[in-house]
Amino acid sequence: MSDEPFLTREQRYAKAVFNKIEPFIKRPESDRKKYGSLAHKLPVLIRTAGLAQALAFVHARNEEQTPQRQLLRDLADVLRENGALAKDADLVERSRLAAFDEYMRLTEAALQALLWFKRFAQSELKVQAGEE
């Protein structure tokens, strides 16, 4: 039996997201703003364009070692940790190839996790919507 108490899905997302955002607290302000700004923008982009298109857009516009790409990696890790994405799956690819029901579940999970990325971007990284 685990010593960790039962956590709700929201608590699991909050804990996992905080662990991803925490290293950014000490990063340069420009990195915090890029990461936090995307945390604010990505949910809107997903709702307007769809998960696959939004992820592909961010992935294509940013080089591998940017804060924006790090947010995509962190989102994928959080989804994996919480069972919404298979352990070895690539989020961008999975969003393109998933059947409709899996795509909808993945979209819902991504939006739930991104709510915590947005909250922590505001509270911990001190990035408000519209900043960059």
Side-chain angles (χ1 to χ4, degrees):
M1 180 175 234
S2 172
D3 289 338
E4 187 172 302
F6 176 77
L7 299 175
T8 67
R9 181 179 348 166
E10 290 296 323
Q11 288 172 310
R12 288 192 316 266
Y13 278 134
K15 181 180 177 183
V17 170
F18 183 79
N19 289 337
K20 295 298 180 184
I21 279 195
E22 192 173 28
F24 266 86
I25 294 171
K26 294 181 176 146
R27 298 268 303 261
E29 183 179 7
S30 63
D31 286 355
R32 290 194 317 268
K33 285 189 184 254
K34 289 175 184 175
Y35 189 95
S37 178
L38 184 58
H40 285 285
K41 292 177 185 176
L42 191 53
V44 175
L45 190 56
I46 290 171
R47 285 188 181 97
T48 57
L51 181 66
Q53 294 88 340
L55 296 177
F57 177 76
V58 173
H59 189 267
R61 284 194 62 210
N62 297 284
E63 299 197 17
E64 189 63 34
Q65 298 304 317
T66 61
Q68 295 93 331
R69 274 286 194 80
Q70 185 60 50
L71 178 65
L72 291 186
R73 287 190 294 275
D74 290 348
L75 175 60
D77 288 346
V78 167
L79 295 177
R80 282 187 205 100
E81 288 174 32
N82 287 281
L85 184 64
K87 295 290 182 203
D88 61 346
D90 175 80
L91 178 59
V92 176
E93 180 181 6
R94 196 68 227 136
S95 71
R96 281 185 289 126
L97 302 175
F100 180 75
D101 57 337
E102 180 188 358
Y103 182 82
M104 294 307 294
R105 281 192 303 273
L106 194 55
T107 299
E108 181 181 337
L111 289 171
Q112 286 177 332
L114 283 165
L115 180 61
W116 287 102
F117 277 99
K118 179 181 170 182
R119 287 177 179 162
F120 287 132
Q122 290 173 317
S123 65
E124 302 299 323
L125 302 181
K126 310 297 186 218
V127 177
Q128 301 303 317
E131 282 188 57
E132 188 163 2

